[in-house]
Amino acid sequence: MIAEKYLKIDFPKITESRGNLTFIEGTKHIPFAIKRVYYLYDVPSGATRGGHAHKSLWELMIALSGSFDVVLDNGKEKKKFFLNRPHYGLLLPPGVWRELENFSSNSVALALASEIYIEDDYIRDYKVFKKMVDNGEFKNFSKKKVT
Ligand code: TYD
């Protein structure tokens, strides 16, 4: 698995008596320009989201409210990350299968993405994903940008 230190990002946090403020600038705090934002909310307890990998899309997930787990799988090993702080993000590079689970009630999962929505960039079949990993199709991404 890509080293954890590259995946976990702690964003600036301005703490004041009026409350906290966190900001994220594309290409500065995260290794891509932000082209799309989406969020998951009203997720019923026990529901699982994700269940796919991307060919070239980079994403960053944040638990804006509440908490949830993100299980990352690079086709060789799996690692579970618990997200529960709005100033903490998890980077999801291309070629990583992700499952989001264990959502707390009223949780909001914010995703920042490097591309607009392109269904063709999704790999939704785990067997296809595994084959691509075994063929070394994702090696360049992790070498170039993350490790
Ligand atoms: P899906 O990728 O299954 O959601 P998740 O990975 O979060 O579990 O997407 C659910 C539906 O929403 C699917 O029909 C595609 C659509 N969708 C968009 O139209 N635009 C988007 O930016 C995203 C993320 C999904």
mmCIF file with all atom_site columns, all heavy atoms in Angstrom, residues 49-63:
data_model
loop_
_atom_site.group_PDB
_atom_site.id
_atom_site.type_symbol
_atom_site.label_atom_id
_atom_site.label_alt_id
_atom_site.label_comp_id
_atom_site.label_asym_id
_atom_site.label_entity_id
_atom_site.label_seq_id
_atom_site.pdbx_PDB_ins_code
_atom_site.Cartn_x
_atom_site.Cartn_y
_atom_site.Cartn_z
_atom_site.occupancy
_atom_site.B_iso_or_equiv
_atom_site.pdbx_formal_charge
_atom_site.auth_seq_id
_atom_site.auth_comp_id
_atom_site.auth_asym_id
_atom_site.auth_atom_id
_atom_site.pdbx_PDB_model_num
ATOM 1   N N   . ARG A 1 49 ? -20.894 2.641  0.354   1.00 0.00 ? 49 ARG A N   1
ATOM 2   C CA  . ARG A 1 49 ? -20.736 3.432  -0.865  1.00 0.00 ? 49 ARG A CA  1
ATOM 3   C C   . ARG A 1 49 ? -19.400 3.078  -1.503  1.00 0.00 ? 49 ARG A C   1
ATOM 4   O O   . ARG A 1 49 ? -18.593 2.366  -0.930  1.00 0.00 ? 49 ARG A O   1
ATOM 5   C CB  . ARG A 1 49 ? -20.780 4.946  -0.553  1.00 0.00 ? 49 ARG A CB  1
ATOM 6   C CG  . ARG A 1 49 ? -21.990 5.431  0.181   1.00 0.00 ? 49 ARG A CG  1
ATOM 7   C CD  . ARG A 1 49 ? -23.256 5.356  -0.634  1.00 0.00 ? 49 ARG A CD  1
ATOM 8   N NE  . ARG A 1 49 ? -23.124 5.867  -1.992  1.00 0.00 ? 49 ARG A NE  1
ATOM 9   C CZ  . ARG A 1 49 ? -24.090 6.488  -2.653  1.00 0.00 ? 49 ARG A CZ  1
ATOM 10  N NH1 . ARG A 1 49 ? -25.248 6.710  -2.061  1.00 0.00 ? 49 ARG A NH1 1
ATOM 11  N NH2 . ARG A 1 49 ? -23.921 6.882  -3.894  1.00 0.00 ? 49 ARG A NH2 1
ATOM 12  N N   . GLY A 1 50 ? -19.149 3.666  -2.658  1.00 0.00 ? 50 GLY A N   1
ATOM 13  C CA  . GLY A 1 50 ? -17.895 3.360  -3.350  1.00 0.00 ? 50 GLY A CA  1
ATOM 14  C C   . GLY A 1 50 ? -18.040 2.031  -4.076  1.00 0.00 ? 50 GLY A C   1
ATOM 15  O O   . GLY A 1 50 ? -19.012 1.812  -4.790  1.00 0.00 ? 50 GLY A O   1
ATOM 16  N N   . GLY A 1 51 ? -17.054 1.167  -3.886  1.00 0.00 ? 51 GLY A N   1
ATOM 17  C CA  . GLY A 1 51 ? -17.100 -0.106 -4.605  1.00 0.00 ? 51 GLY A CA  1
ATOM 18  C C   . GLY A 1 51 ? -16.620 0.070  -6.032  1.00 0.00 ? 51 GLY A C   1
ATOM 19  O O   . GLY A 1 51 ? -17.232 -0.443 -6.979  1.00 0.00 ? 51 GLY A O   1
ATOM 20  N N   . HIS A 1 52 ? -15.546 0.824  -6.185  1.00 0.00 ? 52 HIS A N   1
ATOM 21  C CA  . HIS A 1 52 ? -14.966 1.021  -7.501  1.00 0.00 ? 52 HIS A CA  1
ATOM 22  C C   . HIS A 1 52 ? -13.550 1.589  -7.356  1.00 0.00 ? 52 HIS A C   1
ATOM 23  O O   . HIS A 1 52 ? -13.153 1.990  -6.261  1.00 0.00 ? 52 HIS A O   1
ATOM 24  C CB  . HIS A 1 52 ? -15.837 1.969  -8.343  1.00 0.00 ? 52 HIS A CB  1
ATOM 25  C CG  . HIS A 1 52 ? -16.007 3.326  -7.741  1.00 0.00 ? 52 HIS A CG  1
ATOM 26  N ND1 . HIS A 1 52 ? -17.166 3.733  -7.119  1.00 0.00 ? 52 HIS A ND1 1
ATOM 27  C CD2 . HIS A 1 52 ? -15.152 4.364  -7.653  1.00 0.00 ? 52 HIS A CD2 1
ATOM 28  C CE1 . HIS A 1 52 ? -17.014 4.954  -6.679  1.00 0.00 ? 52 HIS A CE1 1
ATOM 29  N NE2 . HIS A 1 52 ? -15.796 5.373  -6.988  1.00 0.00 ? 52 HIS A NE2 1
ATOM 30  N N   . ALA A 1 53 ? -12.845 1.618  -8.470  1.00 0.00 ? 53 ALA A N   1
ATOM 31  C CA  . ALA A 1 53 ? -11.546 2.304  -8.550  1.00 0.00 ? 53 ALA A CA  1
ATOM 32  C C   . ALA A 1 53 ? -11.627 3.246  -9.747  1.00 0.00 ? 53 ALA A C   1
ATOM 33  O O   . ALA A 1 53 ? -12.599 3.207  -10.517 1.00 0.00 ? 53 ALA A O   1
ATOM 34  C CB  . ALA A 1 53 ? -10.413 1.290  -8.734  1.00 0.00 ? 53 ALA A CB  1
ATOM 35  N N   . HIS A 1 54 ? -10.613 4.093  -9.879  1.00 0.00 ? 54 HIS A N   1
ATOM 36  C CA  . HIS A 1 54 ? -10.577 5.008  -11.024 1.00 0.00 ? 54 HIS A CA  1
ATOM 37  C C   . HIS A 1 54 ? -9.324  4.783  -11.852 1.00 0.00 ? 54 HIS A C   1
ATOM 38  O O   . HIS A 1 54 ? -8.271  4.433  -11.324 1.00 0.00 ? 54 HIS A O   1
ATOM 39  C CB  . HIS A 1 54 ? -10.618 6.460  -10.543 1.00 0.00 ? 54 HIS A CB  1
ATOM 40  C CG  . HIS A 1 54 ? -11.990 6.892  -10.151 1.00 0.00 ? 54 HIS A CG  1
ATOM 41  N ND1 . HIS A 1 54 ? -12.941 7.263  -11.068 1.00 0.00 ? 54 HIS A ND1 1
ATOM 42  C CD2 . HIS A 1 54 ? -12.576 6.970  -8.931  1.00 0.00 ? 54 HIS A CD2 1
ATOM 43  C CE1 . HIS A 1 54 ? -14.062 7.571  -10.440 1.00 0.00 ? 54 HIS A CE1 1
ATOM 44  N NE2 . HIS A 1 54 ? -13.871 7.398  -9.140  1.00 0.00 ? 54 HIS A NE2 1
ATOM 45  N N   . LYS A 1 55 ? -9.469  5.029  -13.147 1.00 0.00 ? 55 LYS A N   1
ATOM 46  C CA  . LYS A 1 55 ? -8.317  4.864  -14.048 1.00 0.00 ? 55 LYS A CA  1
ATOM 47  C C   . LYS A 1 55 ? -7.348  6.030  -13.904 1.00 0.00 ? 55 LYS A C   1
ATOM 48  O O   . LYS A 1 55 ? -6.139  5.838  -13.881 1.00 0.00 ? 55 LYS A O   1
ATOM 49  C CB  . LYS A 1 55 ? -8.801  4.779  -15.499 1.00 0.00 ? 55 LYS A CB  1
ATOM 50  C CG  . LYS A 1 55 ? -9.641  3.547  -15.778 1.00 0.00 ? 55 LYS A CG  1
ATOM 51  C CD  . LYS A 1 55 ? -10.208 3.589  -17.189 1.00 0.00 ? 55 LYS A CD  1
ATOM 52  C CE  . LYS A 1 55 ? -11.252 2.519  -17.381 1.00 0.00 ? 55 LYS A CE  1
ATOM 53  N NZ  . LYS A 1 55 ? -12.055 2.717  -18.613 1.00 0.00 ? 55 LYS A NZ  1
ATOM 54  N N   . SER A 1 56 ? -7.862  7.252  -13.814 1.00 0.00 ? 56 SER A N   1
ATOM 55  C CA  . SER A 1 56 ? -6.934  8.379  -13.713 1.00 0.00 ? 56 SER A CA  1
ATOM 56  C C   . SER A 1 56 ? -7.376  9.461  -12.734 1.00 0.00 ? 56 SER A C   1
ATOM 57  O O   . SER A 1 56 ? -6.612  10.371 -12.462 1.00 0.00 ? 56 SER A O   1
ATOM 58  C CB  . SER A 1 56 ? -6.703  9.002  -15.096 1.00 0.00 ? 56 SER A CB  1
ATOM 59  O OG  . SER A 1 56 ? -7.920  9.459  -15.608 1.00 0.00 ? 56 SER A OG  1
ATOM 60  N N   . LEU A 1 57 ? -8.564  9.349  -12.187 1.00 0.00 ? 57 LEU A N   1
ATOM 61  C CA  . LEU A 1 57 ? -9.084  10.361 -11.261 1.00 0.00 ? 57 LEU A CA  1
ATOM 62  C C   . LEU A 1 57 ? -8.418  10.300 -9.889  1.00 0.00 ? 57 LEU A C   1
ATOM 63  O O   . LEU A 1 57 ? -8.211  9.224  -9.338  1.00 0.00 ? 57 LEU A O   1
ATOM 64  C CB  . LEU A 1 57 ? -10.580 10.138 -11.068 1.00 0.00 ? 57 LEU A CB  1
ATOM 65  C CG  . LEU A 1 57 ? -11.279 11.123 -10.143 1.00 0.00 ? 57 LEU A CG  1
ATOM 66  C CD1 . LEU A 1 57 ? -11.894 12.251 -10.948 1.00 0.00 ? 57 LEU A CD1 1
ATOM 67  C CD2 . LEU A 1 57 ? -12.334 10.449 -9.302  1.00 0.00 ? 57 LEU A CD2 1
ATOM 68  N N   . TRP A 1 58 ? -8.097  11.467 -9.354  1.00 0.00 ? 58 TRP A N   1
ATOM 69  C CA  . TRP A 1 58 ? -7.652  11.594 -7.963  1.00 0.00 ? 58 TRP A CA  1
ATOM 70  C C   . TRP A 1 58 ? -8.809  12.154 -7.151  1.00 0.00 ? 58 TRP A C   1
ATOM 71  O O   . TRP A 1 58 ? -9.543  13.018 -7.627  1.00 0.00 ? 58 TRP A O   1
ATOM 72  C CB  . TRP A 1 58 ? -6.477  12.576 -7.861  1.00 0.00 ? 58 TRP A CB  1
ATOM 73  C CG  . TRP A 1 58 ? -5.190  12.037 -8.378  1.00 0.00 ? 58 TRP A CG  1
ATOM 74  C CD1 . TRP A 1 58 ? -4.853  11.842 -9.682  1.00 0.00 ? 58 TRP A CD1 1
ATOM 75  C CD2 . TRP A 1 58 ? -4.066  11.614 -7.599  1.00 0.00 ? 58 TRP A CD2 1
ATOM 76  N NE1 . TRP A 1 58 ? -3.584  11.326 -9.765  1.00 0.00 ? 58 TRP A NE1 1
ATOM 77  C CE2 . TRP A 1 58 ? -3.083  11.180 -8.500  1.00 0.00 ? 58 TRP A CE2 1
ATOM 78  C CE3 . TRP A 1 58 ? -3.795  11.577 -6.228  1.00 0.00 ? 58 TRP A CE3 1
ATOM 79  C CZ2 . TRP A 1 58 ? -1.849  10.704 -8.090  1.00 0.00 ? 58 TRP A CZ2 1
ATOM 80  C CZ3 . TRP A 1 58 ? -2.570  11.104 -5.803  1.00 0.00 ? 58 TRP A CZ3 1
ATOM 81  C CH2 . TRP A 1 58 ? -1.608  10.673 -6.737  1.00 0.00 ? 58 TRP A CH2 1
ATOM 82  N N   . GLU A 1 59 ? -8.919  11.680 -5.928  1.00 0.00 ? 59 GLU A N   1
ATOM 83  C CA  . GLU A 1 59 ? -9.963  12.199 -5.049  1.00 0.00 ? 59 GLU A CA  1
ATOM 84  C C   . GLU A 1 59 ? -9.406  12.423 -3.654  1.00 0.00 ? 59 GLU A C   1
ATOM 85  O O   . GLU A 1 59 ? -8.420  11.821 -3.250  1.00 0.00 ? 59 GLU A O   1
ATOM 86  C CB  . GLU A 1 59 ? -11.127 11.201 -4.931  1.00 0.00 ? 59 GLU A CB  1
ATOM 87  C CG  . GLU A 1 59 ? -12.152 11.353 -6.018  1.00 0.00 ? 59 GLU A CG  1
ATOM 88  C CD  . GLU A 1 59 ? -13.375 10.489 -5.793  1.00 0.00 ? 59 GLU A CD  1
ATOM 89  O OE1 . GLU A 1 59 ? -13.292 9.470  -5.089  1.00 0.00 ? 59 GLU A OE1 1
ATOM 90  O OE2 . GLU A 1 59 ? -14.416 10.850 -6.355  1.00 0.00 ? 59 GLU A OE2 1
ATOM 91  N N   . LEU A 1 60 ? -10.103 13.258 -2.916  1.00 0.00 ? 60 LEU A N   1
ATOM 92  C CA  . LEU A 1 60 ? -9.792  13.432 -1.503  1.00 0.00 ? 60 LEU A CA  1
ATOM 93  C C   . LEU A 1 60 ? -11.114 13.368 -0.739  1.00 0.00 ? 60 LEU A C   1
ATOM 94  O O   . LEU A 1 60 ? -12.077 14.034 -1.108  1.00 0.00 ? 60 LEU A O   1
ATOM 95  C CB  . LEU A 1 60 ? -9.123  14.783 -1.259  1.00 0.00 ? 60 LEU A CB  1
ATOM 96  C CG  . LEU A 1 60 ? -8.755  14.909 0.206   1.00 0.00 ? 60 LEU A CG  1
ATOM 97  C CD1 . LEU A 1 60 ? -7.263  14.784 0.393   1.00 0.00 ? 60 LEU A CD1 1
ATOM 98  C CD2 . LEU A 1 60 ? -9.289  16.160 0.817   1.00 0.00 ? 60 LEU A CD2 1
ATOM 99  N N   . MET A 1 61 ? -11.156 12.535 0.280   1.00 0.00 ? 61 MET A N   1
ATOM 100 C CA  . MET A 1 61 ? -12.388 12.370 1.070   1.00 0.00 ? 61 MET A CA  1
ATOM 101 C C   . MET A 1 61 ? -12.206 13.012 2.435   1.00 0.00 ? 61 MET A C   1
ATOM 102 O O   . MET A 1 61 ? -11.144 12.891 3.056   1.00 0.00 ? 61 MET A O   1
ATOM 103 C CB  . MET A 1 61 ? -12.691 10.885 1.314   1.00 0.00 ? 61 MET A CB  1
ATOM 104 C CG  . MET A 1 61 ? -12.928 10.028 0.100   1.00 0.00 ? 61 MET A CG  1
ATOM 105 S SD  . MET A 1 61 ? -14.429 10.348 -0.857  1.00 0.00 ? 61 MET A SD  1
ATOM 106 C CE  . MET A 1 61 ? -15.667 10.565 0.378   1.00 0.00 ? 61 MET A CE  1
ATOM 107 N N   . ILE A 1 62 ? -13.256 13.659 2.895   1.00 0.00 ? 62 ILE A N   1
ATOM 108 C CA  . ILE A 1 62 ? -13.247 14.283 4.228   1.00 0.00 ? 62 ILE A CA  1
ATOM 109 C C   . ILE A 1 62 ? -14.570 13.955 4.926   1.00 0.00 ? 62 ILE A C   1
ATOM 110 O O   . ILE A 1 62 ? -15.631 14.017 4.289   1.00 0.00 ? 62 ILE A O   1
ATOM 111 C CB  . ILE A 1 62 ? -13.137 15.817 4.116   1.00 0.00 ? 62 ILE A CB  1
ATOM 112 C CG1 . ILE A 1 62 ? -11.851 16.223 3.391   1.00 0.00 ? 62 ILE A CG1 1
ATOM 113 C CG2 . ILE A 1 62 ? -13.176 16.473 5.494   1.00 0.00 ? 62 ILE A CG2 1
ATOM 114 C CD1 . ILE A 1 62 ? -11.786 17.699 3.079   1.00 0.00 ? 62 ILE A CD1 1
ATOM 115 N N   . ALA A 1 63 ? -14.492 13.629 6.204   1.00 0.00 ? 63 ALA A N   1
ATOM 116 C CA  . ALA A 1 63 ? -15.708 13.504 7.006   1.00 0.00 ? 63 ALA A CA  1
ATOM 117 C C   . ALA A 1 63 ? -16.042 14.903 7.516   1.00 0.00 ? 63 ALA A C   1
ATOM 118 O O   . ALA A 1 63 ? -15.508 15.350 8.527   1.00 0.00 ? 63 ALA A O   1
ATOM 119 C CB  . ALA A 1 63 ? -15.490 12.529 8.161   1.00 0.00 ? 63 ALA A CB  1
#
